[in-house]
Amino acid sequence: MAFNTGLSGLRAASVDLDVTGNNIANASTVGFKSSKVQFGDLYASGFLSAGTNPIGDGVRVQDVKQSFGQGNISFTDNGLDMAISGDGFFILNNGGEIRYSRAGQFGIDKEGYVVNNQNMRVQGYTADDDGNLSGIRGDLQIETDNLAPRRTTNLQTDLNLDSRETVLERRIRDFDPIALADLQGSGFTFGYSDGTSDYTVPQIDATASASDAAIAINAAPGVTATARTAASLTGLTNSDVSSATNFRLEIRIDGSAPIPLNLENVSSLEDVAEAINDTSDNAISASVVDDDEDPSTPDVLRIIHSGGQPLEVAYGDAPTGTPLTNNQQYDGEVFVTTDRNVEQVTTDSGSNAFEVAFNATPFTVTNEFNPIDQRTYNHATSTTIFDSLGNSHELTQFYVKEPSPGNGVGQSQWSIYLQIDGELVGGTDQTPYTALFDQDGQLESINGDPNGELIITDWVPKDPSGDPNGADGPPANPGDVVSPIPEPATSSAFVVNLANTTQYGAAFGVNDQQQNGYTTGRLSGLDVSDQGVIFARYTNGQSKSLGQVALAAFNNTDGLSPVGDTTWVETFESGQPVIGAPDTGTLGSIKASSVEDSNVDLSAELVNLIIAQRNYQANAKTIETSDAVTQTIINLR
């Protein structure tokens, strides 16, 4: 009896030593879970009764139970190393056999599969070509191919236009001079396109001068009028001056006395012009007009009064006090300019010459938009877009302040031009887009579209020499292009979204600008998120999801059966696994570039080792004592 009891103790102590030694041996094994021996005593008993004074038969090992407590997490320099913080196991495919492990030392095999040190493939949720997780579980594989380029189909621009900017471009009607006779006795009304009330010019007096007519017209809003009187003395030649014994010239302004002139020693028209220019009246000037195209045409002395007063000019070779025979009256002309808001001129009375001239004179644009002249636009911003081959192109947006529509109350207007690689697109080489803003600075519409979107359908991607580079070009039917552009795109058409554009009284600024295209890229690294999503990083700055690690949990973790290599397999006692994504439900999260250390407490195991040794020695002593007693009985005589 004592021999069996001692032997059972030896066996139990030996198992305890084995388990403790195994724990100590795996103190540095990643993902290892320590074990503890659980003992139970033995009693001999009958079928119906345990007896009145039962004596134990020793001890037996009931179970070797593993502790699945969390181990410490240590950082590594391998981007694919993973540690589970919380509940769950990695799912490994071992040639068709499914195993479970907490050891996250992973790498990539020659086929790109994520594997552990024993070439077991890690399972997870695979992703499609666009990086969308499919929800289908399989072996995770890292694609090492280059990332194919993606053409730009959408550009989001969020910016503020400075409402304090001035209108740079001017549109005017610049008329040919209007004869005074066509204005005398006439009255007319100006109409405006911006809501300004009509302005009526009272009937101009039949005796009014060009200066009087200009003053009356100049009072109208958006109208500039000036007067000038020009007297061309076509009958006076150089020989008339040089051969005269007593050359005289008299200039009277609006019937006044002649202007004093010093004509002594004059011998040519140039001398006469110089004498006129030397007078004290700055409104009078003279010049000799030379017809360079026809040398046979004689030079002409031209006298101008810049104020538009009538001139009376007389000249000849006659003594002082003698009347001059060459005498001519000159009436002035009126020069009129109207801005873009003057819509029409209606004749109320007299001659309709001004109305006819208005209708026949087109707008003249000054300071017109020019992408290479920054004085012709208020704001500009550039960004890079990509064609179907991954070639980069520079898209520049130009913003030009326009006069407010209507009466200028409650709305503001801007023109938008688009340029790619120095070439205007979107039809803005002919007509710009028109953006309207409300009284709060919010975008109302662009070309009537309240969504604030520009659909560009005429872009032909070109190389640096200006020739098409082989990428997809404009769509065959531009009218069929819709926003958002469906994937996969089949043309160079793209959408510029300006819905968040504002017009406040603040400096111009680009708050955000994003486009969805990119050039080709090579795999440069891998990242793993807390949810176990494996992202590939590429040299073009893009990243794409390649898959997501799956985790498994069990209702009875203690029921798992260890099969070596720090792995376990499912058993009847463990129940079926509950599989899901990390950091969902009761499953733990993933710590990238980390591993979970063994949860062996080395200090405690060394103490357990001493205890197991003591127990072994004590049970051996039991056997030794029983042997001595038995020997005493045998030696009885």
Side-chain angles (χ1 to χ4, degrees), residues 332-498:
E333 298 173 312
V334 177
F335 297 80
V336 181
T337 300
T338 63
D339 65 22
R340 71 173 77 202
N341 295 320
V342 180
E343 186 175 34
Q344 63 181 3
V345 173
T346 304
T347 302
D348 298 332
S349 61
S351 171
N352 68 343
F354 187 38
E355 179 180 347
V356 172
F358 181 92
N359 293 329
T361 304
F363 276 120
T364 300
V365 179
T366 61
N367 203 34
E368 187 176 10
F369 168 73
N370 184 350
I372 63 175
D373 185 356
Q374 63 183 2
R375 297 171 298 179
T376 64
Y377 53 86
N378 300 86
H379 306 304
T381 180
S382 298
T383 189
T384 300
I385 62 174
F386 299 89
D387 60 28
S388 62
L389 298 177
N391 298 307
S392 63
H393 304 269
E394 185 178 76
L395 168 65
T396 303
Q397 305 169 47
F398 299 93
Y399 296 90
V400 180
K401 182 76 175 287
E402 300 289 355
S404 298
N407 60 5
V409 177
Q411 274 191 328
S412 301
Q413 180 173 306
W414 291 73
S415 290
I416 302 174
Y417 298 84
L418 298 179
Q419 184 186 71
I420 299 179
D421 296 340
E423 183 177 348
L424 291 171
V425 298
T428 56
D429 56 334
Q430 301 293 329
T431 305
Y433 293 99
T434 299
L436 292 178
F437 294 86
D438 64 17
Q439 70 279 0
D440 297 321
Q442 301 297 316
L443 181 67
E444 281 189 350
S445 66
I446 297 182
N447 278 23
D449 179 12
N451 297 320
E453 292 183 334
L454 312 179
I455 301 180
I456 311 304
T457 59
D458 60 352
W459 176 40
V460 178
K462 297 180 179 180
D463 59 23
S465 63
D467 299 321
N469 63 4
D472 272 341
N477 298 306
D480 295 339
V481 180
V482 296
S483 175
I485 295 177
E487 295 289 347
T490 58
S491 71
S492 64
F494 63 95
V495 176
V496 180
N497 190 326
L498 299 171

Side-chain angles (χ1 to χ4, degrees), residues 10-26:
L10 286 177
R11 286 194 294 268
S14 179
V15 172
D16 195 8
L17 284 170
D18 291 341
V19 171
T20 302
N22 185 60
N23 288 343
I24 294 174
N26 287 281

Side-chain angles (χ1 to χ4, degrees), residues 478-519:
D480 295 339
V481 180
V482 296
S483 175
I485 295 177
E487 295 289 347
T490 58
S491 71
S492 64
F494 63 95
V495 176
V496 180
N497 190 326
L498 299 171
N500 294 325
T501 298
T502 57
Q503 187 216 213
Y504 297 142
F508 170 76
V510 180
N511 303 318
D512 190 21
Q513 194 157 241
Q514 298 181 359
Q515 56 86 35
N516 61 351
Y518 48 79
T519 187

Side-chain angles (χ1 to χ4, degrees), residues 15 92 144 233 299 499 522 628:
V15 172
L92 305 176
T144 58
L233 308 186
D299 296 339
R522 298 185 301 275

